[in-house]
């Protein structure tokens, strides 16, 4: 199943309890030896889903944290 379809299914199933939106993707790239290949897979996943994607253990979690924080903080009105 393509990842965008899996994300949509996850959101539909979660909505049975409480609506939830996938806002970022954390990948485990530990089996990919090359850092360049891991970054390529991360970029391909981000492009396929339109979501911030990273391996927080390997490269840090700041991008994912920012995406999640944006969804949790109320929008400011100017």
């Amino acid at each position: 199943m393509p990842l965008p379809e899996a994300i949509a299914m996850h959101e539909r199933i979660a909505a049975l309890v409480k609506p939830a939106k996938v806002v970022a993707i954390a990948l485990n790239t530990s089996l990919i030896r090359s850092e360049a290949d891991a970054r390529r897979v991360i970029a391909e996943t981000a492009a396929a889903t339109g979501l911030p994607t990273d391996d927080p253990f390997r490269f840090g979690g700041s991008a994912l944290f920012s995406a999640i924080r944006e969804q949790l903080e109320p929008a400011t009105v100017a």
Side-chain angles (χ1 to χ4, degrees), residues 20-64:
K21 181 180 176 189
V22 175
V23 298
I25 298 176
L27 294 179
N28 176 353
T29 63
S30 63
L31 296 179
I32 302 172
R33 291 182 186 237
S34 161
E35 183 175 309
D37 287 342
R39 290 193 184 278
R40 179 185 48 76
V41 169
I42 290 167
E44 289 171 355
T45 302
T49 62
L51 294 170
T53 305
D54 213 338
D55 180 333
F57 183 77
R58 192 171 192 173
F59 302 118
S62 61
L64 300 180

Side-chain angles (χ1 to χ4, degrees), residues 6-22:
I7 291 169
M9 183 186 323
H10 174 80
E11 291 176 341
R12 284 192 305 273
I13 291 169
L16 295 171
V17 177
K18 182 178 180 185
K21 181 180 176 189
V22 175

